Amino acid sequence: MNAGDDLTGKTVEVRVAKLVPNSAFGYNIEAGKHLNFVSPENPNVKEGDTVVLKVDKITSTMGSYVITYKKEK
C-alpha cells in the first residue's frame, strides 16, 4: 500500500512487527511503516508471527493506513 497498491478484497500475508491490543481502533497489528491492521477481535498473534488476512477496508488517518480485515484460517 505504501507503493500505491489497492489491496481491498485481497488476501495478504503479514508479519507482526508489533501488537497493540489497546489502540484507539481495537487490536492493532503493526506490520510496517504506517501499516495498521485493526480488528475489534483478538487476533491471537504475537510479535514475529506471520498471519494471512483478507483486507476489508482501508482508510488513511494522519498519514497512516488503518486496515480492517478478516483473519484467514
Side-chain angles (χ1 to χ4, degrees):
M1 284 184 301
N2 285 331
D5 297 334
D6 181 9
L7 300 178
T8 304
K10 306 250 168 104
T11 300
V12 296
E13 185 175 87
V14 173
R15 187 181 146 298
V16 180
K18 183 177 180 183
L19 177 65
V20 182
N22 58 349
S23 79
F25 303 105
Y27 291 91
N28 182 2
I29 296 173
E30 293 181 7
K33 189 171 185 177
H34 305 295
L35 298 175
N36 301 285
F37 290 82
V38 298
S39 173
E41 298 178 16
N42 187 342
N44 295 313
V45 297
K46 60 185 182 298
E47 292 177 15
D49 285 353
T50 299
V51 293
V52 178
L53 310 173
K54 183 166 183 176
V55 176
D56 283 334
K57 183 178 176 183
I58 303 168
T59 58
S60 180
T61 303
M62 298 188 305
S64 292
Y65 293 106
V66 177
I67 306 142
T68 57
Y69 66 88
K70 289 189 174 89
K71 188 174 175 186
E72 297 288 302
K73 304 247 181 222

